[in-house]
Amino acid sequence: MPKLRGEAFWRETLRSAHYVVAPMVDQSELAWRLLSRRHGAQLCYTPMLHAQVFLRDANYRRENLYDEACPEDRPLIVQFCANDPEVFVQAALLAQDYCDAIDLNLGCPQMIAKRGHYGAFLQEEWDLLQRMILLANEKLSVPITCKIRVFREIDKTVKYAQMLEKAGCQLLTVHGRTKEQKGPLAGVASWEHIQAVRKAVSIPVFANGNIQCLSDVEECIRKTGVHGVMSAEGNLHNPALFEGRNPLVWEMAEEYLEIVQKYPCPLSYVRAHLFKLWHHTLQVYQQLREELAKVKTLEGIVDVNRELKLRCQEEIANQKEGEKPKEGLPFFHWICQPYIRPGPKERCKENGANEKGARGKRALEEEEDGNAELLSKNKQKKKLRNPNKSFDPSLKPKYAKCDQCGNPKGNKCVFNMCRGCCKKSAFKATADCPGHGLLFKTKYEKSLSWQSSQRVIQNPEVSRRGDVDVGETAVLKETGASAV
């Protein structure tokens, strides 16, 4: 059967999905996907998987996809981050039988993506992206899709989308923010960019950004003309978002915990979900917030959830008539509702500051030019220890690179390599590298010397031969050579 493409793929394989749960690292696992599907989600993505790790590690494949195969969990798109066409395609070939499409992540803006050279940090490398998508489109039995962030310029964003479509992308998700818009600097996503892309391509388009409730979904579809809308944070704070309702938090939490007991996942995932669901309530009951952070078992998390429920029910029972939600919330804190991410100034007020001016929570990651207004907590501590310390990347010392892999080389390495490459080379050549403390030659010579001494002890006649040195004789015997 030929592979479906474009509109036909969206209509038949994805069942004309309008409501989509985003790929979220450690947060869109099977249990959460099943909860979301029960409450209106029509299509889900796996968490972002690392293609190279997926390819080489059978345990990683089993834990993140193979063991999670579930008939209820379809349609499903598996998302990979990658920067090598062959690695991406080989990983996708191992995953294609467990999903309906493979997605290439071109939207992750985090520092880990910058260090690993994937996600949104590939958006300028159009030749590489064309090769990756062309190869995937040729080799895979399922369609290839992409999730991108926009450029500041609408025209460049449109050309970017058209290039991906031409290479073989069958569905495009457009997050209406640039890669610089993240964390407290996220701001508002541009639906104008998304609308321009939708008009410029013939493949289906999903929109991502500014989705807090069902009315946002409907407005986004109306304004941009997209085929569907993807939600990440909105879904995490209210799994019933696509149903258009705001349930009691403990209803969603209890239902999720029941699913986790049937489809287990790491405890860190469960804890993170409850922090999101109970976000507003945990601002009120700080002690329970600490207990949730420390608990070591699923049973312990269930107990904390039960205690939160009891506290809220008691608060409801003592509620005065006509009382309104506090802190400017649209609903009382025990009801699932949007979380509006604060900007930098609001974040400072929310977290407070200590006497030395260091904030209580992690702040902004430093901007690429090194001129950020705020530093992370760790960098603030380093600054206190050394007031002259600079975090400007341009002022960092430049290290000589290893001749083999490009990592920093050892300053005194005789091979001009990093320690890992030096170790391999020194072992192969039976050589020493004092700079890295590698003494393969010395140890080998000592071993030969010890062997010769043992032979002398076992065969005293050898020591009476005056024409050849004892050690030399042993070495010659070892190598099969004859003395001259």
Side-chain angles (χ1 to χ4, degrees):
M1 180 178 176
K3 183 165 56 176
L4 294 177
R5 299 177 180 276
E7 290 274 350
F9 160 63
W10 171 72
R11 190 170 53 255
E12 297 183 32
T13 305
L14 302 185
R15 305 168 195 169
S16 301
H18 297 296
Y19 305 147
V20 186
V21 174
M24 298 173 283
V25 177
D26 297 344
Q27 294 286 268
S28 56
E29 82 287 354
L30 176 61
W32 189 260
R33 297 197 300 266
L34 292 178
L35 177 70
S36 300
R37 290 180 191 276
R38 289 183 185 181
H39 296 283
Q42 298 167 334
L43 169 65
C44 293
Y45 283 63
T46 66
M48 181 188 74
L49 304 178
H50 198 293
Q52 196 164 40
V53 181
F54 193 87
L55 183 58
R56 72 167 184 254
D57 192 335
N59 288 332
Y60 185 80
R61 294 196 293 272
R62 188 181 68 251
E63 291 167 3
N64 288 282
L65 186 62
Y66 292 178
D67 282 356
E68 293 195 347
C70 174
E72 303 168 55
D73 190 33
R74 301 298 278 268
L76 176 69
I77 295 180
V78 173
Q79 188 189 70
F80 285 110
C81 65
N83 55 25
D84 181 285
E86 288 292 339
V87 171
F88 172 54
V89 171
Q90 289 303 315
L93 286 169
L94 293 173
Q96 66 179 2
D97 292 339
Y98 298 84
C99 63
D100 299 289
I102 299 293
D103 187 78
L104 177 60
N105 182 320
L106 301 176
C108 182
Q110 304 303 326
M111 287 304 293
I112 190 171
K114 182 178 181 181
R115 289 194 292 269
H117 192 53
Y118 57 79
F121 297 93
L122 294 177
Q123 66 179 174
E124 296 283 0
E125 301 187 33
W126 292 12
D127 288 341
L128 171 63
L129 297 181
Q130 280 181 316
R131 295 202 309 273
M132 293 178 74
I133 297 168
L134 280 167
L135 186 62
N137 195 40
E138 176 189 342
K139 299 288 186 181
L140 300 180
S141 62
V142 295
I144 176 75
T145 69
C146 296
K147 184 173 187 286
I148 66 171
R149 285 197 169 222
V150 300
F151 292 96
R152 292 185 187 278
E153 308 86 357
I154 291 180
D155 289 347
K156 188 173 182 180
T157 304
V158 166
K159 290 177 182 176
Y160 182 39
Q162 289 173 330
M163 178 274 293
L164 295 173
E165 178 186 19
K166 187 176 180 181
C169 176
Q170 301 302 320
L171 182 147
L172 194 62
T173 300
V174 184
H175 187 156
R177 294 183 175 94
T178 65
K179 72 175 187 294
E180 291 77 26
Q181 288 180 274
K182 58 183 179 179
L185 298 179
V188 178
S190 170
W191 287 356
E192 187 180 358
H193 282 71
I194 298 172
Q195 181 186 37
V197 169
R198 171 68 190 99
K199 290 180 178 178
V201 299
S202 59
I203 57 176
V205 175
F206 289 159
N208 185 208
N210 302 347
I211 304 302
Q212 299 289 350
C213 55
L214 185 60
S215 61
D216 292 335
V217 175
E218 294 166 349
E219 184 182 3
C220 182
I221 293 176
R222 186 178 71 254
K223 286 188 174 181
T224 63
V226 293
H227 294 70
V229 171
M230 178 183 285
S231 175
E233 283 204 353
N235 164 261
L236 290 175
H237 288 274
N238 180 10
L241 181 152
F242 291 127
E243 284 184 320
R245 64 188 191 92
N246 299 85
L248 295 167
V249 172
W250 63 78
E251 289 181 2
M252 293 293 97
E254 288 175 346
E255 188 175 353
Y256 171 66
L257 290 170
E258 287 177 6
I259 298 173
V260 169
Q261 290 174 344
K262 185 176 180 181
Y263 299 101
C265 63
L267 202 66
S268 60
Y269 297 7
V270 182
R271 184 185 290 110
H273 279 302
L274 262 66
F275 270 122
K276 294 284 196 311
L277 285 170
W278 285 109
H279 175 82
H280 299 293
T281 300
L282 291 172
Q283 310 307 310
V284 179
Y285 302 114
Q286 291 286 337
Q287 183 183 353
L288 290 176
R289 179 187 181 87
E290 293 175 9
E291 288 184 23
L292 181 58
K294 294 177 182 177
V295 71
K296 303 289 186 183
T297 63
L298 182 61
E299 292 74 19
I301 288 181
V302 171
D303 290 341
V304 174
N305 186 69
R306 186 182 300 113
E307 182 62 26
L308 281 164
K309 174 182 176 180
L310 292 173
R311 296 277 184 98
C312 290
Q313 289 177 330
E314 184 179 346
E315 196 174 334
I316 293 170
N318 297 328
Q319 197 173 4
K320 296 178 182 178
E321 187 176 350
E323 188 174 341
K324 294 183 179 180
K326 299 177 182 178
E327 303 297 330
L329 296 177
F331 305 103
F332 289 102
H333 63 78
W334 54 80
I335 295 175
C336 290
Q337 58 193 295
Y339 167 64
I340 308 300
R341 188 189 293 272
K345 292 182 180 178
E346 290 83 357
R347 172 87 59 169
C348 287
K349 293 177 183 178
E350 181 182 291
N351 294 337
N354 61 26
E355 293 177 359
K356 295 181 180 179
R359 295 179 301 152
K361 280 189 175 182
R362 177 179 171 181
L364 293 175
E365 289 177 342
E366 192 174 16
E367 290 299 310
E368 294 175 21
D369 59 5
N371 295 321
E373 178 186 353
L374 301 169
L375 297 177
S376 69
K377 191 174 179 182
N378 282 340
K379 288 179 179 177
Q380 287 178 358
K381 288 179 180 177
K382 291 177 183 177
K383 194 79 173 175
L384 286 173
R385 291 196 296 267
N386 180 8
N388 297 322
K389 187 170 182 63
S390 171
F391 297 101
D392 187 344
S394 65
L395 299 178
K396 288 185 178 179
K398 304 297 182 184
Y399 295 102
K401 293 184 177 180
C402 168
D403 290 347
Q404 290 281 354
C405 67
N407 287 328
K409 73 166 187 172
N411 291 331
K412 298 179 181 178
C413 177
V414 297
F415 294 101
N416 292 317
M417 296 179 181
C418 66
R419 194 176 195 284
C421 296
C422 176
K423 188 174 182 180
K424 294 176 184 177
S425 297
F427 178 78
K428 187 179 290 186
T430 318
D432 288 349
C433 178
H436 281 122
L438 302 173
L439 304 173
F440 292 111
K441 181 180 179 182
T442 300
K443 291 179 179 179
Y444 178 66
E445 290 175 348
K446 284 184 178 180
S447 173
L448 292 179
S449 177
W450 180 83
Q451 289 179 20
S452 66
S453 66
Q454 292 300 305
R455 287 194 177 92
V456 169
I457 293 171
Q458 294 173 7
N459 188 6
E461 292 183 3
V462 174
S463 63
R464 291 197 292 269
R465 292 180 57 183
D467 54 337
V468 180
D469 180 77
V470 172
E472 184 183 351
T473 303
V475 173
L476 291 171
K477 284 186 176 181
E478 184 74 16
T479 59
S482 58
V484 178

